[in-house]
Amino acid sequence: MKTIMKNLLILAAVVVTVLLLPRFVTSNYWLNLINLSISFSIACLGLNIVLGFAGQLSLAQAAFWGVGAYTSAILTTQLGLPVWAGMFAAFFMAALCGVLLGIPTLKLSGHYLAMATIGFGIILQLILVNEIWLTKGSDGITTIPSPWIGSLELKDPGAFFYVAAVSLILLSWGTIHLKNSRVGRAFMAIRENEMAAGAMGVDTTYYKVMAFALSAGYGGFGGWMFAHSGSHYISPDTFSFEQSVILLVMTVLGGNGSVIGSIVGATLLTMLPEVLRFLKDSYMMVYAAGIVAIMIFMPSGIAGLVKSMPLTLRLRTWWNADSRGGRQVGGGASPRGTYPGKKAAFQPEDCAGSGEVLLTVKGLAKHFGGLKAVDGVDMEVRRGEIQALIGPNGSGKTTILNMLSGLYVPTAGEIILGGAAIAGKKPHAITSLGMARTFQNIRLFGELTVLENVLIGRHCHSRAGLLASILHLPSQKAEEAGIRAKALEMLEFVGLKGKEDAQANSLPYGQQRLLELARALASDPQLLLLDEPAAGLNAAETEALVDLLFQICTRGITILLVEHDMNLVMNVSDHITVLNFGRKIAEGPAEEIEKNREVVDAYLGTEVGNA
Ligand code: ADP
Ligand code: MG
């Protein structure tokens, strides 16, 4: 089935449901409850963006919900603005609060954000209760108007339902697109591994603030809906910390990270207490026990359970059956030579090297308290070469790579990449200047698919912003197609073709290393930093890696390689720098280093030829 047909089918099903629902549900009580659950669903969709996508715990969603409700209620009752204007004001006011709260706190780790959000909720409660001139204090705001369409007032819950349903559909549609976009993937990369996200070109602070602000905006929108429907009355106690916890439970119960799950969780927990009312006094106990049971038996929420059911898996395969056709890359596999075993078999002129210096490091130092992990290292890497950085454990190799890639700020020294001074710059800025890396301890985005991992590697070469991603604009679609083509090419290049949909952490160890390499290559680096790429690989995998290193080099990419496998180092390197105790003890072509007495004593122990 063509994608467009599938979309039309979904749209038709949704439209029919929305049109028919008020015909079957005629009681105002239940219609109001449905509207309330839609208001919660929208707040939960927002919470899912910051918690489910970006992995940041916020305990203020009810507060943002309250900001939206009060903003619109005040503007419409006191200033007489139209309710539709109140809707935009509610969204933007809550989002603004999200930005103001997010900027100072999101630079810190998760717990601080959670604490700050609780504090924000408490402050908001105090304002709502005490600023009586504005909020009417504990009495709350009454007779909040309904929205109008032309001369039609949408006061009846059955009429308001259409506003609520259309809003929910549009926001869910936008959020699903967001999840599958560059911006959504940046959020999820932060959740999975913030350090790797930065090294792949994602400006982590910016995206965390963006996720938080958007989440707050959704909360505000839900609040607008709450204020202008149901009892048309709001008071401070509705927007409490307890309500934030309930929204959190709804989101997690539905399935953290799942758009549909947020809606299911919110609807279920709004309806369930009503359905269980016949149990009289014991209903709260049954309700609570039900939630605890779901949490225990469905750790990934309702969405997780549904996804893993055999029927869903079959439906999914059928549904995806031919959209896959478009995902194949043209052309056959790139020819792969076998590991030559000796450097001589590889012609240096195969590399696009020009002999020009690409990276210059001068007097580079990193001290951790009294420990001089790196102590005044000078080094040059020439374009097109494979340069190795070797030394005993703890000699400062990884620390140098961390400074080069921006994860550590050097204590002293200069780093110049292609003429630009990069010491102390943020990792994402360095990535966009043409440097990419892999990690000694593999840092993949484990819960994401193989393809998504590589797509994130392309982040710095794409531009689509939040709005383009949510609206799925043609420019964003075209860019996305380009990113996919590049990512698939990279997967094929490292030999992972066919694994696109596997979860990254389900791959065997050797393939995880290859995936990390493909992700780094997707950013089209000039300089590739590899931190012990052969660690943990078996002999055959190491041979394939050597071959791959040569092929990378042939593509004109310069490599700085940290590695302990001396046969590999001696076979591939043009140039070697040797470290000991944070200092450079030798430097030169592989043949010279093998014979250098100091290097043999400090590191090699015995000459490589005899090893
Ligand atoms: P290598 O990669 O050469 O094995 P590293 O660069 O990882 O060595 O470490 C060099 C030294 O710096 C080690 O003594 C290590 O314990 C120390 N070190 C590295 N990172 C940190 C850190 N974040 N805080 C404190 N000490 C560190
Ligand atoms: Mg190391």
Side-chain angles (χ1 to χ4, degrees):
M1 223 189 325
K2 290 257 182 304
T3 315
I4 195 151
M5 284 293 289
K6 290 175 186 170
N7 288 343
L8 281 177
L9 201 69
I10 295 176
L11 187 69
V14 169
V15 169
V16 169
T17 313
V18 170
L19 286 177
L20 289 186
L21 199 112
R23 293 196 181 274
F24 287 106
V25 184
T26 44
S27 127
N28 275 356
Y29 173 77
W30 280 101
L31 281 169
N32 272 326
L33 211 57
I34 291 172
N35 289 342
L36 180 66
S37 67
I38 292 180
S39 165
F40 282 142
S41 295
I42 291 173
C44 289
L45 277 183
L47 191 55
N48 185 49
I49 291 173
V50 76
L51 178 72
F53 294 177
Q56 311 295 314
L57 179 59
S58 160
L59 284 167
Q61 195 63 350
F64 294 123
W65 197 54
V67 168
Y70 267 90
T71 302
S72 187
I74 291 169
L75 290 176
T76 51
T77 56
Q78 299 193 14
L79 298 181
L81 285 187
V83 175
W84 301 116
M87 179 178 85
F88 289 102
F91 181 93
F92 286 110
M93 190 66 184
L96 181 69
C97 290
V99 172
L100 294 180
L101 184 61
I103 288 176
T105 46
L106 282 162
K107 285 193 178 152
L108 306 165
S109 62
H111 313 300
Y112 291 96
L113 176 69
M115 273 165 16
T117 53
I118 294 175
F120 174 72
I122 295 171
I123 293 168
L124 184 82
Q125 281 278 319
L126 290 175
I127 294 173
L128 295 183
V129 172
N130 294 310
E131 298 302 315
I132 298 171
W133 62 275
L134 186 68
T135 64
K136 305 260 190 318
S138 309
D139 292 345
I141 302 178
T142 52
T143 58
I144 303 170
S146 296
W148 291 73
I149 296 181
S151 58
L152 179 69
E153 188 184 14
L154 304 174
K155 197 169 177 59
D156 177 52
F160 192 87
F161 166 75
Y162 292 113
V163 175
V166 169
S167 307
L168 181 64
I169 292 165
L170 291 179
L171 286 173
S172 313
W173 178 80
T175 314
I176 289 172
H177 281 147
L178 178 70
K179 191 178 177 185
N180 296 313
S181 73
R182 165 182 185 268
V183 176
R185 285 192 299 268
F187 292 163
M188 293 188 285
I190 292 170
R191 176 192 74 200
E192 291 296 307
N193 194 315
E194 195 167 336
M195 187 190 277
M200 287 304 110
V202 175
D203 182 346
T204 53
T205 308
Y206 173 77
Y207 279 97
K208 279 197 280 182
V209 172
M210 187 197 276
F212 193 52
L214 187 65
S215 151
Y218 276 49
F221 191 95
W224 168 83
M225 201 167 273
F226 176 73
H228 296 279
S229 63
S231 60
H232 295 263
Y233 163 73
I234 53 172
S235 63
D237 46 339
T238 314
F239 310 103
S240 58
F241 173 68
E242 290 78 41
Q243 187 60 51
S244 284
V245 174
I246 292 175
L247 291 173
L248 183 74
V249 173
M250 287 171 168
T251 310
V252 174
L253 187 81
N256 202 17
S258 160
V259 173
I260 305 296
S262 305
I263 300 171
V264 172
T267 310
L268 195 72
L269 288 203
T270 316
M271 299 292 177
L272 213 56
E274 305 305 318
V275 176
L276 295 178
R277 259 188 216 289
F278 71 93
L279 295 170
K280 303 224 165 59
D281 289 348
S282 51
Y283 99 93
M284 272 319 270
M285 258 167 54
V286 174
Y287 174 66
I291 294 180
V292 171
I294 295 178
M295 292 287 191
I296 292 173
F297 296 112
M298 299 182 203
S300 30
I302 298 169
L305 181 81
V306 173
K307 257 187 214 159
S308 62
M309 285 185 341
L311 179 67
T312 326
L313 291 177
R314 244 178 286 148
L315 273 175
R316 195 176 259 260
T317 317
W318 169 78
W319 188 257
N320 288 335
D322 57 18
S323 19
R324 236 154 258 253
R327 297 173 95 207
Q328 306 297 327
V329 237
S334 56
R336 271 282 186 87
T338 46
Y339 176 39
K342 283 195 172 57
K343 172 113 193 215
F346 177 72
Q347 301 302 316
E349 56 269 25
D350 288 352
C351 285
S354 61
E356 151 209 356
V357 176
L358 175 62
L359 178 80
T360 310
V361 170
K362 280 189 212 150
L364 192 63
K366 181 72 190 175
H367 301 170
F368 297 106
L371 176 78
K372 295 180 175 173
V374 177
D375 194 17
V377 170
D378 295 329
M379 195 168 96
E380 278 185 349
V381 180
R382 293 182 182 278
R383 199 181 280 279
E385 289 193 350
I386 299 182
Q387 161 126 4
L389 184 61
I390 62 171
N393 273 332
S395 57
K397 304 178 300 290
T398 298
T399 306
I400 289 186
L401 294 199
N402 284 346
M403 285 189 280
L404 295 181
S405 57
L407 297 177
Y408 289 166
V409 177
T411 308
E414 282 178 61
I415 306 170
I416 295 150
L417 175 71
I422 58 166
K425 278 191 189 288
K426 293 260 189 237
H428 67 270
I430 295 177
T431 307
S432 57
L433 286 172
M435 192 190 292
R437 69 169 292 175
T438 63
F439 294 87
Q440 183 173 348
N441 308 314
I442 301 176
R443 288 179 183 273
L444 287 172
F445 307 122
E447 297 274 314
L448 303 186
T449 66
V450 166
L451 180 64
E452 282 170 328
N453 268 269
V454 187
L455 291 173
I456 293 164
R458 201 74 193 141
H459 184 86
C460 60
H461 288 288
S462 44
R463 292 283 155 266
L466 182 62
L467 210 59
S469 300
I470 288 183
L471 298 177
H472 201 39
L473 296 180
S475 58
Q476 187 260 348
K477 267 195 231 176
E479 185 181 82
E480 193 71 8
I483 299 173
R484 272 171 191 269
K486 177 74 185 185
L488 289 168
E489 186 203 328
M490 285 302 118
L491 282 173
E492 186 169 357
F493 177 68
V494 301
L496 287 179
K497 190 179 173 185
K499 299 271 180 196
E500 293 85 4
D501 295 327
Q503 194 170 311
N505 56 15
S506 74
L507 293 184
Y509 189 81
Q511 293 188 351
Q512 292 198 12
R513 286 234 174 253
L514 291 175
L515 176 56
E516 224 193 10
L517 196 57
R519 183 180 70 176
L521 287 171
S523 71
D524 271 341
Q526 300 184 60
L527 176 64
L528 179 63
L529 313 179
L530 301 177
D531 200 350
E532 304 202 15
L537 300 191
N538 62 32
E541 287 169 334
T542 308
E543 282 193 9
L545 175 72
V546 169
D547 183 37
L548 205 53
L549 293 182
F550 286 144
Q551 289 202 40
I552 292 170
C553 178
T554 318
R555 287 180 161 231
I557 297 170
T558 310
I559 297 176
L560 178 58
L561 170 73
V562 168
E563 186 47 67
H564 276 299
D565 179 335
M566 287 316 296
N567 277 326
L568 189 155
V569 168
M570 292 302 172
N571 268 300
V572 303
S573 316
D574 297 289
H575 225 82
I576 299 178
T577 303
V578 190
L579 291 182
N580 198 18
F581 295 116
R583 289 180 160 273
K584 183 170 78 179
I585 56 167
E587 177 169 64
E591 311 78 57
E592 276 179 28
I593 294 296
E594 268 181 282
K595 299 189 187 86
N596 184 308
R597 218 36 286 152
E598 202 181 345
V599 178
V600 172
D601 289 345
Y603 183 46
L604 301 179
T606 166
E607 288 188 28
V608 177
N610 309 332

